[in-house]
Amino acid sequence: MSRIKQFKLPDLGEGLTEGEILQWLVKVGDHVELNQPIVEVETAKAAVEIPSPYIGVVTKLFFEPNTTVEVGAPIIEYDTDPTAGELPASPVETPAAAPASAEAPKREANLVGYGPRQGTATRRARKGGAPAPVVAAPAPAPVVAAPAPVVVAEPVAPVAAHVLAKPPVRKLAKDLGVSLAGLVGTGPQGSITREDVHAAVAAPAAAAPVRVVTTGGETRIPIKGVRKLTAANMVQSAFTAPHVTEFLTIDVTRGVKALDRLKAKREWRDVRISPLLLVMKAATAALKRHPMVNSSWDEAAQEIVVKDYVNLGIAAATPRGLIVPNIKDAGSLSFRELADALTTLVGTARDGKTSPADMTGGTFTITNVGVYGVDTGTPILPPGESAILAFGAIREQAWVHKGKVKPRQVTTLGLSFDHRIIDGELGSKFLADIGAFLEDPETALLGW
């Protein structure tokens, strides 16, 4: 069996066909351990670190950073027995020429969907020039003891060693066309900060931004990654499901006061409590009363699929764009467990570490437009879901309460739903139940 092994870009979640190499975490000549992170790849859903399926020495990196690679294309090559001495001068048999049983790396629990086909890669368009041509994935070459160069379509700088920088900083650097490898970090442990990136842009010799500015004062930004996937999903949803949106304005003064009393309890002082958390609890409770809302339309089978679990999606604006991670089986969680799950979801999204699995399988979504001071909206359904709730800003307004006009905490909800599944009566009852819960959560919990 050949000691030279190639590792192909795996399918990182639900049929994704390609990924962009953000950075290599190893270089030619490095000794790599099993499950050691070797490369950071950005897909249309998330940026993930891929672990190594082999132990050995890196002999070749097939693609440079900022290259889009198809699933199934070889990305890295190993010598899994570097202590055996010099390799023969004749070409070494590689997994590409070996039987399927010999070429496939052993599956690990943290890798999914090894793509079977050979793929191609495309290079990112450079500033001021036409898009680079499509480059076929290079065929395996004879391997010698000396480290092999990175195989690319044109000469490039050597792949840099691991650079410390948070995902939002990496995203900023990519958008501005700044190479992190050439920066000196001023953050903790030498990590690169936003200020370091902006300083590099301001420097006379700084790299030009990725955005291509044309004549006439227009700026063109490449559509890719999360934004590309979001756009495709929204177009598909808008022109597939007949949307209906209903609105409800409610007095949530009692609900806000209930949260304040909860915050005062010693065991809740370190828990992140917000009105969104109350809306999440209201939604899961209302979905139990109206299970048809927690469903999807199967066009191929001509069936309505009613879910007996609630994977609650929370729309989140991140440096990579809008994503909708979901809390699995949220309907079975206590209020405290929901709070902890929301804290984890928000922190993971902000750090750019949301996994593809966290963004699939959602059954109902909440979008909190109120954090931007917006009263409400008409949200578009995420594909595969029949309803989505927009939660608007809570404002102090004049409100008739017990026959008198008083200042009260008021908000507006917007519920969009698929009219093939949910008719006006069901949508109205569901929205009214959520409103009743938010107006008086204590009574609702006792009466439901």
Side-chain angles (χ1 to χ4, degrees), residues 209-234:
V210 170
R211 298 184 179 92
V212 180
V213 181
T214 62
T215 58
E218 294 180 346
T219 302
R220 294 180 177 267
I221 302 173
I223 301 172
K224 61 180 183 176
V226 170
R227 187 175 298 277
K228 182 177 181 179
L229 180 66
T230 300
N233 285 342
M234 292 301 98

Side-chain angles (χ1 to χ4, degrees), residues 220-398:
R220 294 180 177 267
I221 302 173
I223 301 172
K224 61 180 183 176
V226 170
R227 187 175 298 277
K228 182 177 181 179
L229 180 66
T230 300
N233 285 342
M234 292 301 98
V235 170
Q236 177 190 12
S237 177
F239 291 97
T240 301
H243 285 58
V244 173
T245 305
E246 293 187 340
F247 305 96
L248 179 64
T249 302
I250 54 176
D251 175 6
V252 294
T253 305
R254 282 190 177 185
V256 172
K257 289 182 177 179
L259 291 178
D260 290 339
R261 291 195 298 272
L262 192 62
K263 291 177 184 177
K265 292 183 176 292
R266 177 178 300 177
E267 61 270 27
W268 283 82
R269 289 178 182 173
D270 295 331
V271 181
R272 182 174 180 174
I273 300 176
S274 69
L276 174 60
L277 184 60
L278 195 61
V279 176
M280 293 165 61
K281 188 63 177 179
T284 56
L287 287 170
K288 289 181 180 179
R289 290 168 63 92
H290 308 284
M292 185 64 74
V293 177
N294 192 47
S295 63
S296 61
W297 181 277
D298 188 335
E299 181 66 28
Q302 287 295 290
E303 295 174 339
I304 295 173
V305 184
V306 182
K307 316 295 174 60
D308 59 2
Y309 56 90
V310 178
N311 289 344
L312 186 61
I314 305 296
T318 73
R320 297 182 61 245
L322 177 68
I323 63 174
V324 188
N326 61 77
I327 299 172
K328 307 299 183 186
D329 204 15
S332 66
L333 301 182
S334 67
F335 198 62
R336 176 60 182 265
E337 290 171 334
L338 267 182
D340 293 340
L342 178 60
T343 299
T344 300
L345 179 147
V346 171
T348 303
R350 286 180 176 174
D351 291 341
K353 295 297 184 181
T354 304
S355 70
D358 292 333
M359 291 185 283
T360 57
T363 64
F364 181 84
T365 294
I366 298 172
T367 176
N368 185 15
V369 297
V371 295
Y372 304 107
V374 175
D375 291 329
T376 192
T378 57
I380 296 178
L381 296 170
E385 299 180 24
S386 64
I388 178 173
L389 181 71
F391 174 38
I394 297 177
R395 306 182 189 278
E396 188 174 65
Q397 298 182 22

Side-chain angles (χ1 to χ4, degrees), residues 164-228:
L164 290 178
K166 293 182 177 180
V169 177
R170 298 186 187 280
K171 174 65 166 58
L172 176 64
K174 284 173 51 184
D175 288 345
L176 298 180
V178 175
S179 172
L180 294 179
L183 301 185
V184 177
T186 60
Q189 300 180 343
S191 61
I192 296 172
T193 65
R194 287 179 172 271
E195 290 72 21
D196 297 332
V197 175
H198 285 300
V201 174
V210 170
R211 298 184 179 92
V212 180
V213 181
T214 62
T215 58
E218 294 180 346
T219 302
R220 294 180 177 267
I221 302 173
I223 301 172
K224 61 180 183 176
V226 170
R227 187 175 298 277
K228 182 177 181 179

Side-chain angles (χ1 to χ4, degrees), residues 66-146:
N66 300 332
T67 303
T68 299
V69 181
E70 285 195 3
V71 168
I75 58 173
I76 188 172
E77 187 175 83
Y78 302 83
D79 182 352
T80 58
D81 187 14
T83 61
E86 296 292 330
L87 292 172
S90 59
V92 177
E93 180 185 3
T94 66
S101 60
E103 79 168 14
K106 182 180 179 181
R107 286 181 181 266
E108 299 293 336
N110 48 12
L111 289 176
V112 294
Y114 288 78
R117 68 185 186 279
Q118 291 290 336
T120 59
T122 56
R123 293 176 51 81
R124 173 180 295 183
R126 295 179 178 270
K127 167 72 176 177
V134 175
V135 182
V143 181
V144 294

